[in-house]
Amino acid sequence: MVPDIKKPYGKQTERRLSDLQEYFSGKKVVNEMLGQDDPIIYKVFEYPVPNEGEHLIYATTILLPGKVKDEFYFTKGHFHNKPGGAEIIIGIEGSGSVLLQNREGEFRYEEVKINSVVYSPPGWAHRAVNTSKKDFVFLSICRADVGHDYEIIISNGFAKRVVEREKKVCLIN
Ligand code: F6R
Ligand code: ZN
């Protein structure tokens, strides 16, 4: 069956605030929020393919709108283990941005709208951010055997955080 990339398909993963506690900067606010509720931050629908290099993984992420204190909701973000682990990210609904950075400290910020295409080169980590008030939906495509490395991001984060200041989207260190 051919999946509709805006609707659930394949393997589904839900990420809630409790899964992202270590990633947000406002730890006190995270704890206060978790005392009330454990909101879904994003859902990923991944088309099942064999975990081998000749195949391509494609996955739709629905990143919900919201903030922790002033920091917009984001995906965990990761490097790919394989040196050839480039990725294409295509905006399919709503808007947001993608943070890109490599191990040499270079950083890029790409705004994403419907039909925007972002290229995450080999060796670059990527994180999506929903800077809007609606769902931000995007498709990611990469080799099936790239592997995902979250460890450096958990310890060091990204070079910039995306926050709202005086109703504007701002990048801070
Ligand atoms: C695949 C990819 C995306 C993300 C998804 C969730 O390589 O980059 O499908 O896996 O957007 O983000 P993470 O994996 O950072 O929680
Ligand atoms: Zn990826």
Side-chain angles (χ1 to χ4, degrees):
M1 199 187 82
V2 177
D4 178 333
I5 56 172
K6 291 185 185 171
K7 295 191 184 139
Y9 61 86
K11 181 184 151 211
Q12 300 182 32
T13 309
E14 250 180 32
R15 296 282 181 224
R16 291 179 178 267
L17 182 58
S18 54
D19 300 310
L20 284 129
Q21 326 190 28
E22 300 147 274
Y23 292 80
F24 283 103
S25 70
K27 300 279 183 292
K28 188 164 164 261
V29 178
V30 169
N31 286 332
E32 282 165 13
M33 285 173 75
L34 286 174
Q36 313 276 313
D37 190 15
D38 188 8
I40 294 174
I41 309 288
Y42 58 97
K43 296 177 195 174
V44 184
F45 310 120
E46 187 180 320
Y47 191 77
V49 294
N51 188 20
E52 295 159 7
E54 312 86 67
H55 288 275
L56 293 173
I57 300 174
Y58 59 98
T60 300
T61 303
I62 301 180
L63 177 53
L64 277 73
K67 282 179 288 194
V68 170
K69 202 171 163 202
D70 57 1
E71 188 168 19
F72 291 104
Y73 281 4
F74 53 73
T75 59
K76 290 180 174 183
H78 55 262
F79 283 93
H80 291 163
N81 294 322
K82 285 245 168 165
E87 183 161 313
I88 299 278
I89 298 160
I90 304 168
I92 53 180
E93 200 173 296
S95 61
S97 57
V98 175
L99 312 183
L100 298 161
Q101 77 182 35
N102 66 16
R103 293 176 204 270
E104 285 70 51
E106 288 174 90
F107 174 85
R108 291 185 203 153
Y109 180 77
E110 306 273 9
E111 287 185 10
V112 180
K113 300 188 180 102
I114 296 171
N115 296 340
S116 299
V117 183
V118 175
Y119 182 60
S120 180
W124 286 67
H126 37 269
R127 164 181 284 171
V129 184
N130 188 345
T131 51
S132 78
K133 292 189 166 28
K134 294 183 181 161
D135 289 356
F136 173 35
V137 185
F138 58 90
L139 182 74
S140 309
I141 307 166
C142 62
R143 274 174 60 137
D145 64 350
V146 287
H148 293 78
D149 180 356
Y150 294 90
E151 294 309 315
I152 304 171
I153 305 297
I154 294 175
S155 355
N156 300 346
F158 273 73
K160 306 266 181 199
R161 292 182 172 275
V162 189
V163 298
E164 187 175 70
R165 294 279 157 85
E166 294 168 358
K167 299 199 173 156
K168 292 202 178 102
V169 175
C170 295
L171 287 178
I172 59 165
N173 289 322

